Amino acid sequence: MERIWEILKNQYIQGEDLKTDQIFLWANDEALKEYEHEEPPKALKCEFCGKSLYYRGLKHPFKPKTIWTWVKPENCDCEKSVKYKEEQERLMLEKQRKEQEEHRKREEKAKIDRLFEMSKMGERFKTRTFDNFIVNSENKKSLEIAKGFVENFEQAKASGLGIMFVGNYGAGKTHLACGIAIELIKKGIPVIYGTAITLLFKIKQTYGEEVKTSEWDLLDLYSTVDLLIIDDLGKEKPSEWVLEKLYHIINQRYENLKPTIITTNYDDVTLINRLSTASNSSTAEAIVSRLNEMCTGVYMNFEDHRKM
């Protein structure tokens, strides 16, 4: 009950739509003697002009001729006091703005940290940025395409168009894919990164009794995340189960215009052979066919920079 009275009291105190004399009576008002009230606090003095600032008595809403409580007086209206109040309000607003900005930055950092964790990028890959990519006359165009993808990611989201980096070992395909992931994550865009085998191994882990995430939860995540990066596609020979799940993910992203980035060492024919199982080549062909439609080919048949 006391809490209700306090809320009601605050509403009356802040009643800007009411005239002051309707809800308040000043402590130095002659009419105060007609009211039942407690002794008001001693008047304050304006620190600039010395004017007496009397407390206000809040009239009781249901008991006529009764002062409910005493409220601190309003600020003095002298020029210096008004300027001081305006400056204090400015400083308070500036402080609030800074606190809000700091809070926003903390929230943004926490979000980016969560996105990096969700991305499944290894620590080594998190260091492969555009800034430390070694540029030469051969790979300069590939770097420009990767940067352009980041800058125009909203267009990629609208069209579902990704990139397929194709080339030799050590040409920088993975570095550029990681650079894209890092830049987008910094912008707060969800990215998931991994090889086909490591991504799908996570699904197999859901078969354990203690795992709360289901197979369909992960399949849905891989199928709908803003950007999926599959590194070294074709490096590991898939099982029939892996091929089936990989097709499901690629096909869902294909149908729903979700951009995908692929890195691979193989041309189309070799990649189909690498993905095919003993009893199934048609699914591998369907995967590669969709990737060709979903991705712009970036060919990086350069020397292995790791051997330099």
Side-chain angles (χ1 to χ4, degrees), residues 19-38 40-41 54-60 65-73:
K19 292 181 179 179
T20 302
D21 58 3
Q22 287 181 317
I23 59 174
F24 294 118
L25 191 66
W26 300 99
N28 64 331
D29 196 315
E30 282 295 322
L32 182 61
K33 58 187 175 184
E34 299 176 14
Y35 284 75
E36 182 182 338
H37 62 86
E38 293 181 355
Y54 294 95
Y55 275 73
R56 293 170 290 164
L58 177 63
K59 297 177 183 178
H60 202 291
K65 299 299 181 180
T66 302
I67 296 299
W68 192 0
T69 189
W70 291 102
V71 181
K72 193 174 180 179

Side-chain angles (χ1 to χ4, degrees), residues 114-126:
R114 289 194 298 271
L115 289 174
F116 266 113
E117 184 178 354
M118 187 187 83
S119 73
K120 308 303 179 187
M121 292 179 68
E123 291 303 315
R124 181 184 296 275
F125 295 142
K126 290 178 184 177

Side-chain angles (χ1 to χ4, degrees), residues 5-22:
W5 281 107
E6 284 299 317
I7 293 172
L8 186 59
K9 186 190 297 181
N10 288 334
Q11 289 175 342
Y12 268 78
I13 291 172
Q14 296 168 12
E16 296 176 1
D17 57 327
L18 300 174
K19 292 181 179 179
T20 302
D21 58 3
Q22 287 181 317

Side-chain angles (χ1 to χ4, degrees), residues 243-292:
L243 193 63
E244 174 194 329
K245 302 304 179 189
L246 181 61
Y247 173 78
H248 174 87
I249 293 165
I250 297 299
N251 189 58
Q252 287 295 305
R253 297 189 69 81
Y254 170 79
E255 291 182 355
N256 294 294
L257 297 178
K258 296 291 184 181
T260 305
I261 288 181
I262 303 292
T263 75
T264 183
N265 300 322
Y266 308 107
D267 59 28
D268 286 356
V269 174
T270 309
L271 184 57
I272 291 170
N273 289 334
R274 295 287 303 176
L275 294 177
S276 297
T277 62
S279 60
N280 189 349
S281 62
S282 61
T283 301
E285 291 172 2
I287 290 172
V288 174
S289 175
R290 279 161 175 71
L291 290 177
N292 279 328

Side-chain angles (χ1 to χ4, degrees), residues 125 173-174 177 193-196 229-233 261-264:
F125 295 142
K173 305 182 301 296
T174 295
Y193 170 96
T195 67
I229 299 177
I230 303 178
D231 193 29
D232 267 341
L233 185 62
I261 288 181
I262 303 292
T263 75
T264 183

Side-chain angles (χ1 to χ4, degrees), residues 183-196:
E183 291 302 314
L184 290 178
I185 288 172
K186 285 179 180 178
K187 292 184 176 184
I189 296 169
V191 178
I192 290 181
Y193 170 96
T195 67

